[in-house]
Amino acid sequence: MTVKTPIARPGMRIGLLGGSFDPAHEGHAHITEFALRRFGLDRVWWLVSPGNPLKEHGPAPLAERIAAARRVMRHPRVEITDIEAQLATRMTADTIAELQRHCPAVQFVWLMGSDNLVQFDRWERWSEIAARVPIGVLARPGTRLAARQSRAAQIMRAGRLPEAYASLLPMMKPPAWVLLNLPMSPLSSTMIRNGGDMRADEEGTAK
C-alpha cells in the first residue's frame, strides 16, 4: 500500500490530532498551536477522519472538511491530512500502528481534549493506544476535573507527568501522559453546526 504522508524525518516529534473536523474551527487551531509549543513538537498532523464510529450521523464529505480545515489552520508546521482514508483505518489504534510501521523512527504523540479523556476507556483498544504512544491531553471547558477523575486517568495514573515536564512527553516511553491547562476556547464543531446554542463537545475523534 502506498501512503502519502507529510514530511517525517527520523527523530521528529509529531503530534497527531484526530477528528471529524466537522467543521474545523479556531478552537482546533488554538489547541494545536498550544500543543506545538508546550510539548516541543516539530509538527502536528490533523488526521481528518472519514467518519466517527461513536457518532450517529455521518460528517460532511471528506474533501470539504479538509478544504475547510486548511482555511482555518494556516501554520507552516501543521499538516492537514487524509491519512486514515488512505490507510483505510477506522480505529485510532489501527491508525497509530500503521503510522508507526510507515514511520518507525518518528516520535508520535497522540493529542486529545480533556473531554475525550473522560470517555477514553470507551475507545476500541484504548489501552493499546496508551501503550503505543505518549498522550498529550489539552483541557477543554467543563471537563478538566472529570478528566482527572476518569477511569482511564486512574488506570494510567502511574504514567502521568507534571505539566512542568510537558516538553519531555515526546521522548517518554508509553504509557505516559500530561494534562495541560490552557486558555479556554468555548468553540466546538457541534456549537457551530447548531448555531452556537450547544455546549462544547469533543475536539478529537472518540473511537
Side-chain angles (χ1 to χ4, degrees):
M1 178 190 299
T2 301
V3 177
K4 184 180 179 181
T5 65
I7 294 172
R9 291 188 290 271
M12 269 191 166
R13 303 179 297 274
I14 297 177
L16 304 172
L17 183 65
S20 56
F21 298 97
D22 187 30
H25 53 72
E26 292 300 328
H28 293 122
H30 175 63
I31 67 169
T32 298
E33 292 173 2
F34 194 84
L36 274 167
R37 295 194 303 272
R38 292 296 304 275
F39 295 130
L41 300 173
D42 298 303
R43 297 280 193 278
V44 170
W45 295 355
W46 283 15
L47 310 182
V48 184
S49 65
N52 183 338
L54 294 188
K55 288 188 176 181
E56 181 179 353
H57 302 291
L62 180 60
E64 291 182 14
R65 288 181 283 125
I66 287 177
R70 286 175 175 156
R71 290 193 293 270
V72 168
M73 186 73 255
R74 297 178 178 274
H75 192 289
R77 292 193 286 135
V78 180
E79 299 282 353
I80 314 301
T81 79
D82 64 349
I83 286 175
E84 282 193 314
Q86 294 183 57
L87 294 171
T89 54
R90 290 295 181 270
M91 299 298 158
T92 297
D94 293 326
T95 299
I96 292 172
E98 284 297 306
L99 287 176
Q100 289 179 324
R101 186 172 68 85
H102 284 278
C103 308
V106 168
Q107 296 170 316
F108 287 112
V109 175
W110 186 258
L111 304 175
M112 67 164 70
S114 56
D115 45 349
N116 273 323
L117 182 59
V118 173
Q119 60 174 342
F120 190 36
D121 64 299
R122 293 173 51 202
W123 290 25
E124 185 78 20
R125 292 158 39 217
W126 73 273
S127 58
E128 178 184 332
I129 298 169
R132 280 189 171 277
V133 287
I135 299 173
V137 183
L138 299 135
R140 294 282 295 134
T143 59
R144 281 181 286 193
L145 180 60
R148 287 194 292 267
Q149 297 176 343
S150 67
R151 179 172 179 265
Q154 295 305 310
I155 292 172
M156 300 189 300
R157 61 184 177 276
R160 183 179 178 185
L161 298 176
E163 283 194 63
Y165 295 96
S167 63
L168 300 179
L169 183 66
M171 285 77 76
M172 299 299 294
K173 181 179 178 180
W177 62 287
V178 173
L179 173 60
L180 285 184
N181 290 305
L182 67 160
M184 292 287 111
S185 169
L187 286 175
S188 78
S189 298
T190 298
M191 288 177 65
I192 293 171
R193 289 197 303 271
N194 290 278
D197 60 352
M198 289 186 67
R199 65 179 178 84
D201 71 341
E202 75 279 358
E203 284 295 344
T205 304
K207 58 183 181 174

